[in-house]
Amino acid sequence: MKALVYVGTSKKSLEERPKPAITAPTDAIVRITKTTICGTDLHILKGDLPSCRPGRILGHEGVGIVDSVGPAVTVFKPGDHVLISCVSACGTCVYCRKQMYSHCTTGGWILGNTIDGTQAEFVRIPHADLSLYAIPEGADEEALVMLSDILPTSFECGVLNGKVQPGNTVAIVGSGPIGLAALLTAQFYSPAEIIVIDLDDNRLDVAKRFGATATVNSTDGRAAEAVLKMTGGRGVDTAIEAVGIPATFELCEKIVTAGGNIANIGVHGKKVDLHLESLWDRNISITTRLVDTATIPMLFKTVASHKIDPKKLITHRFKLDQIMDAYETFGNAANTKALKVIIEA
Ligand SMILES: NC(=O)c1ccc[n+]([C@@H]2O[C@H](COP(=O)([O-])OP(=O)(O)OC[C@H]3O[C@@H](n4cnc5c(N)ncnc54)[C@H](O)[C@@H]3O)[C@@H](O)[C@H]2O)c1
Ligand SMILES: [Zn+2]
Ligand SMILES: [Zn+2]
């Protein structure tokens, strides 16, 4: 089969690999129909995630058709149309019992990280019963690819942890696919204002179209002043960090109002200063989270009922043969205006 392989820092190749086989009774093999590329795949290629070793097939998002199942798989059978969660979950370990699937002792985020992933014709899914979701007939596959990772990530780590409430003021720092998905899912709760901050005017225009009430281009380094001005000097109830660098987390520290929440989503590779000298008396909460994908079933319903349309995030489409071009397009978003790319296997 064809597969996109991480060769080493800044190196990847489209290779011929053997089709994966079932290695545990709880495994399923899924034939991929559609997959995509995540900002985290770019982090891996930069060498930011040492857990992912050279030789690994990348990808942790996708939909497909069950090809075969191990003898202990009870929910799925060959031919079933399924959505793949980016997180694999056994369902019985101490973390899974708390629905903290991201920390499953024999799963978690392993796909396209410590085991081969979805940017291939076939993938082996461990703990298939809990790591796959049945796709009802007639559902839009492309929209559902957004449910493997980016929608649950934005919703769980940003919107739920940030306690977005009706009438509140929200700032989302970062208008990439994750920040934009947070913008879509924050609107479930009808906040009064959603201010989106980024360096890229194209992405800020997209944010406006997706429901941002205001946008701030932070290139001049004065975003905190702009947000404080917009909020009568008070700041925002919820500041969602969706970039993953020190400057953007520190911006959240500056714009959170008394009693507010900072919800971090970004993957951070560098230390960040916590300014307790200005925050100790502000009654704020700071949360961090690795996506659990525990909200996939609920998000599924919001997509099926057209409460949100995650397909709006898709800007480009490629075939698996063209995945090197897909990476090129996705990696140069400032020029290509790419958000999410769909890769058809
Ligand atoms: N916690 C989790 O479970 C989880 C899961 C998936 C992704 N992530 C992380 O979420 C983050 C966002 O993902 P993405 O795919 O949207 O990434 P992305 O790189 O596509 O988007 C980041 C955005 O931040 C903007 N940006 C960069 N520097 C900025 C600055 N100084 N000020 C304002 N904006 C700035 C960029 O222009 C870009 O639009 C990444 O760090 C990713 O690794 C976390
Ligand atoms: Zn991802
Ligand atoms: Zn578990």
Side-chain angles (χ1 to χ4, degrees):
M1 66 168 191
K2 283 190 261 341
L4 191 284
V5 176
Y6 169 58
V7 178
T9 305
S10 303
K11 285 193 213 114
K12 58 186 176 304
S13 66
L14 183 58
E15 295 180 7
E16 204 52 48
R17 284 293 185 95
K19 183 180 164 184
I22 285 173
T23 58
T26 47
D27 285 352
I29 304 298
V30 175
R31 178 172 63 80
I32 296 288
T33 50
K34 293 199 172 71
T35 181
T36 181
I37 308 173
C38 178
T40 306
D41 298 323
L42 301 183
H43 274 301
I44 292 172
L45 283 162
K46 274 194 240 155
D48 286 349
L49 283 146
S51 54
C52 183
R53 307 293 308 150
R56 181 67 58 231
I57 299 173
L58 293 182
H60 50 265
E61 302 165 274
V63 295
I65 308 284
V66 175
D67 185 62
S68 58
V69 295
V73 174
T74 59
V75 181
F76 298 100
K77 60 180 187 317
D80 285 351
H81 196 189
V82 289
L83 165 72
I84 300 165
S85 165
C86 65
V87 160
S88 308
C90 77
T92 57
C93 75
V94 58
Y95 296 115
C96 282
R97 298 240 166 176
K98 294 195 231 179
Q99 284 210 328
M100 208 195 283
Y101 304 132
S102 58
H103 291 270
C104 173
T105 51
T106 55
W109 176 47
I110 53 177
L111 215 53
N113 178 12
T114 57
I115 65 168
D116 284 338
T118 57
Q119 290 166 11
E121 289 177 75
F122 292 90
V123 63
R124 181 181 70 87
I125 302 295
H127 301 312
D129 277 343
L130 272 108
S131 312
L132 297 174
Y133 293 84
I135 297 181
E137 211 165 311
D140 187 328
E141 266 201 329
E142 289 194 348
L144 294 180
V145 175
M146 307 299 122
L147 288 188
S148 291
D149 173 359
I150 66 164
L151 248 70
T153 293
S154 314
F155 184 62
E156 294 171 9
C157 312
V159 175
L160 289 183
N161 276 9
K163 299 193 171 67
V164 175
Q165 304 276 314
N168 274 11
T169 303
V170 178
I172 300 170
V173 185
S175 189
I178 295 279
L180 290 169
L183 172 61
L184 292 178
T185 54
Q187 291 171 68
F188 291 148
Y189 295 98
S190 302
E193 283 171 65
I194 311 178
I195 305 164
V196 177
I197 302 151
D198 202 288
L199 306 169
D200 179 343
D201 280 329
N202 169 58
R203 287 188 161 186
L204 292 174
D205 286 345
V206 176
K208 276 251 174 71
R209 289 206 298 281
F210 285 15
T213 54
T215 57
V216 176
N217 186 315
S218 57
T219 309
D220 64 1
R222 299 178 55 83
E225 288 88 325
V227 172
L228 289 172
K229 199 166 165 213
M230 284 173 185
T231 54
R234 285 184 299 277
V236 298
D237 299 299
T238 300
I240 296 175
E241 200 285 342
V243 186
I245 59 172
T248 47
F249 189 84
E250 289 187 35
L251 175 59
C252 292
E253 295 183 56
K254 287 182 192 147
I255 60 175
V256 67
T257 193
N261 298 278
I262 299 177
N264 182 79
I265 310 179
V267 172
H268 289 266
K270 287 209 184 95
K271 81 178 181 77
V272 183
D273 289 333
L274 176 60
H275 289 283
L276 280 178
E277 73 284 8
S278 49
L279 292 173
W280 72 269
D281 64 346
R282 303 283 288 163
N283 303 27
I284 64 150
S285 303
I286 298 176
T287 56
T288 69
R289 186 167 181 178
L290 176 59
V291 62
D292 292 300
T293 68
T295 61
I296 286 180
M298 169 269 176
L299 290 166
F300 225 118
K301 291 185 207 161
T302 67
V303 174
S305 61
H306 306 289
K307 293 283 179 275
I308 53 168
D309 179 15
K311 213 175 158 169
K312 294 200 283 199
L313 290 158
I314 300 164
T315 53
H316 295 75
R317 290 170 178 81
F318 297 89
K319 300 272 185 218
L320 186 58
D321 292 352
Q322 308 165 303
I323 193 165
M324 299 295 272
D325 298 335
Y327 264 92
E328 201 57 35
T329 302
F330 182 71
N332 290 300
N335 300 321
T336 60
K337 304 193 174 178
L339 289 169
K340 285 299 267 188
V341 300
I342 287 285
I343 295 152
E344 206 180 315

